[in-house]
């Protein structure tokens, strides 16, 4: 089995296969488009999260004042 793997033809086929696979991968990824970040949307989401956190803090303060 080891002699088969060290056969020059087997090694050449493996190297060519790896090279073809890498070229196909490059061809596939070269046409990918990336969506630019929408800064306004990110800011809106951040503000919404902060407002939710502020609401939870306010509710916690109310609950603590009711318990004492």
């Amino acid at each position: 089995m080891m002699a088969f793997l060290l056969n020059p033809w087997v090694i050449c086929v493996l190297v060519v296969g790896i090279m073809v696979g890498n070229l196909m991968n490059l061809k596939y990824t070269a046409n990918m488009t990336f969506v630019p970040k929408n800064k306004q949307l990110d800011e809106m989401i951040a503000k919404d999260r902060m407002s939710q956190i502020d609401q939870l803090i306010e509710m916690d303060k109310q609950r603590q004042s009711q318990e004492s």
Side-chain angles (χ1 to χ4, degrees), residues 5-66:
L5 292 176
L6 294 176
N7 188 341
W9 288 105
V10 173
I11 294 172
C12 287
V13 167
L14 288 174
V15 168
V16 169
I18 290 170
M19 290 174 64
V20 168
N22 286 338
L23 289 173
M24 290 174 63
N25 191 17
L26 284 173
K27 182 179 178 183
Y28 175 74
T29 56
N31 295 328
M32 294 180 82
T33 57
F34 295 98
V35 178
K37 289 189 83 173
N38 189 346
K39 292 182 181 180
Q40 292 176 344
L41 181 62
D42 290 343
E43 290 173 1
M44 287 174 49
I45 291 172
K47 286 179 184 177
D48 186 44
R49 286 183 184 158
M50 288 306 294
S51 67
Q52 289 176 353
I53 291 172
D54 292 339
Q55 288 175 357
L56 289 173
I57 291 171
E58 192 65 36
M59 289 170 55
D60 188 47
K61 287 180 183 177
Q62 289 176 357
R63 185 184 56 83
Q64 288 178 355
S65 66
Q66 289 175 355

